[in-house]
Amino acid sequence: MRKLRRILTAVDGSPASLHALKESIRLAQWARSGVTVITVAPSYEGDLNLVGVRNIKAVLHGQCEEILNAAMEVAEEQGTAIGIVCEEGHVDEKIVEHSEKEDADIIVLGNSGRCLLHELLTGGVISRISRSSRRDILVIPHNKELAWNRILLVLDRTDGEDIAERAVTLTGTIGGELTVLFRQPGFFGSQRMVSNQSDSSIAGGHAVLEHARKVAAMHGIKLDGLVRKGPMARTIDRVARERRADLIVLAPRAETWLQQMTGPTPAERVARRSQCSLLILKGRDRHGLTRISAEPSEGSIQLT
């Protein structure tokens, strides 16, 4: 058993990223862990003799220093110490690289809800980090506090029992409510999951739900199961609003190479639409299956 020891939070100076840092610190204080802040200055390989700019690299690193100073101010306001790192290169690559170097347990990103045109077509930082990182990823919307009281777990037939078990255990750790949503492709229809459901299209998901219910019973948690049909991001957002969810939990969805090249991940599409925080659970790291658990007497998250 090992505690949630290190949270890596990416900060770019935007209000959304600084808000994510504030919430990361709150999470770290609750879990008794540490926070490292990383900001990445883009590499510049163009003309270093631009008119009016004597040393563009110094300018870029000066901006990096300003961002880290802003992060330090947030930490001082929260009464905690943080580690700070400035890297140079591609943002997603450096964040993933440092998360491995530091053995971070989770990567935290802020979400402003806005994106550039090319990110609409190809995906932004959330997609790139989700595709390449082995770490769990927490995306926090701007101006929304991180809360865990009502959790919506999204599963499909490709998800294993591990993801359901981790979400159930997390819910038990904080004493929250858990809704499990199985989404079926389609455009219309809504039905409640019942114990005698025999539709072959959801048989695998029903088995995972039954396993989750057994784990939930061990923690004294009442688990509510739903089946909804419709587009992924829209359906998840609709259910999250109906259930007044604080946190959406899902695993990375399988993608074809064409989807990876031409569009955002399903997780990013959910993050853009929803006002909830989003936790992307990864299946494995080099230590094996990573499960969230806790010692209730200490109130601290632990990983196995």
Side-chain angles (χ1 to χ4, degrees):
M1 301 281 291
R2 60 190 182 93
K3 289 185 177 181
L4 174 62
R5 301 163 302 156
R6 179 59 59 184
I7 299 169
L8 180 65
T9 305
V11 175
D12 61 6
S14 67
S17 69
L18 293 174
H19 174 72
L21 172 59
K22 178 181 176 181
E23 297 305 302
S24 297
I25 292 172
R26 288 181 56 237
L27 174 60
Q29 290 171 339
W30 179 77
R32 300 179 185 179
S33 59
V35 176
T36 295
V37 174
I38 183 170
T39 189
V40 182
S43 298
Y44 184 80
E45 299 177 353
D47 186 359
L48 298 181
N49 296 313
L50 293 176
V51 176
V53 181
R54 291 181 178 274
N55 190 337
I56 189 125
K57 286 186 176 289
V59 170
L60 293 174
H61 283 279
Q63 293 173 348
C64 187
E65 185 176 348
E66 290 180 8
I67 292 170
L68 292 177
N69 285 337
M72 291 296 293
E73 290 180 5
V74 172
E76 289 174 2
E77 291 174 357
Q78 299 299 308
T80 193
I82 59 173
I84 56 174
V85 176
C86 180
E87 296 281 1
E88 179 180 341
H90 294 290
V91 175
D92 53 301
E93 293 178 0
K94 290 300 179 179
I95 291 173
V96 172
E97 180 181 300
H98 192 79
S99 71
E100 292 292 327
K101 179 180 178 181
E102 190 166 298
D103 196 21
D105 298 301
I106 193 168
I107 298 171
V108 179
L109 305 172
N111 180 22
S112 66
R114 300 187 301 270
C115 60
L116 301 175
L117 177 60
H118 76 274
E119 292 179 346
L120 284 171
L121 302 175
T122 62
V125 172
I126 296 173
S127 290
R128 295 194 296 272
I129 292 178
S130 178
R131 284 170 175 146
S132 58
S133 176
R134 299 185 299 170
R135 311 291 166 170
D136 294 342
I137 301 164
L138 177 62
V139 182
I140 302 176
H142 185 37
N143 289 333
K144 297 285 283 189
E145 288 190 355
L146 179 61
W148 312 79
N149 296 325
R150 291 179 292 272
I151 298 175
L152 174 63
L153 170 63
V154 182
L155 296 175
D156 65 19
R157 287 178 296 164
T158 66
D159 295 318
E161 295 178 348
D162 173 59
I163 298 299
E165 185 173 336
R166 294 177 64 191
V168 168
T169 311
L170 173 60
T171 307
T173 298
I174 58 170
E177 302 173 3
L178 178 63
T179 298
V180 178
L181 168 65
F182 290 97
R183 186 196 65 88
Q184 292 179 284
F187 298 97
F188 304 104
S190 171
Q191 69 182 92
R192 199 165 186 86
M193 175 75 80
V194 294
S195 59
N196 62 353
Q197 180 61 254
S198 59
D199 188 334
S200 61
S201 67
I202 60 172
H206 182 57
V208 174
L209 175 59
E210 290 306 310
H211 176 79
R213 280 186 171 139
K214 291 178 182 178
V215 178
M218 294 173 59
H219 290 270
I221 299 169
K222 180 181 179 181
L223 184 152
D224 192 10
L226 295 173
V227 173
R228 291 290 174 87
K229 183 180 294 185
M232 181 175 183
R234 185 181 303 172
T235 302
I236 293 172
D237 180 51
R238 184 184 301 120
V239 173
R241 291 175 186 273
E242 291 173 359
R243 297 305 175 107
R244 295 182 298 157
D246 301 309
L247 177 70
I248 297 171
V249 179
L250 74 164
R253 294 344 247 181
E255 296 181 285
T256 66
W257 67 269
L258 184 60
Q259 289 172 324
Q260 293 181 12
M261 295 293 293
T262 60
T265 60
E268 181 168 341
R269 293 199 299 271
V270 172
R272 288 175 183 172
R273 179 178 288 270
S274 176
Q275 294 300 308
C276 298
S277 295
L278 173 66
L279 177 61
I280 306 168
L281 293 180
K282 294 304 188 85
R284 296 174 180 271
D285 62 14
R286 67 178 180 277
H287 302 292
L289 288 176
T290 306
R291 293 185 176 89
I292 300 178
S293 60
E295 294 179 0
S297 60
E298 296 184 3
S300 60
I301 296 176
Q302 295 199 356
L303 304 176
T304 60

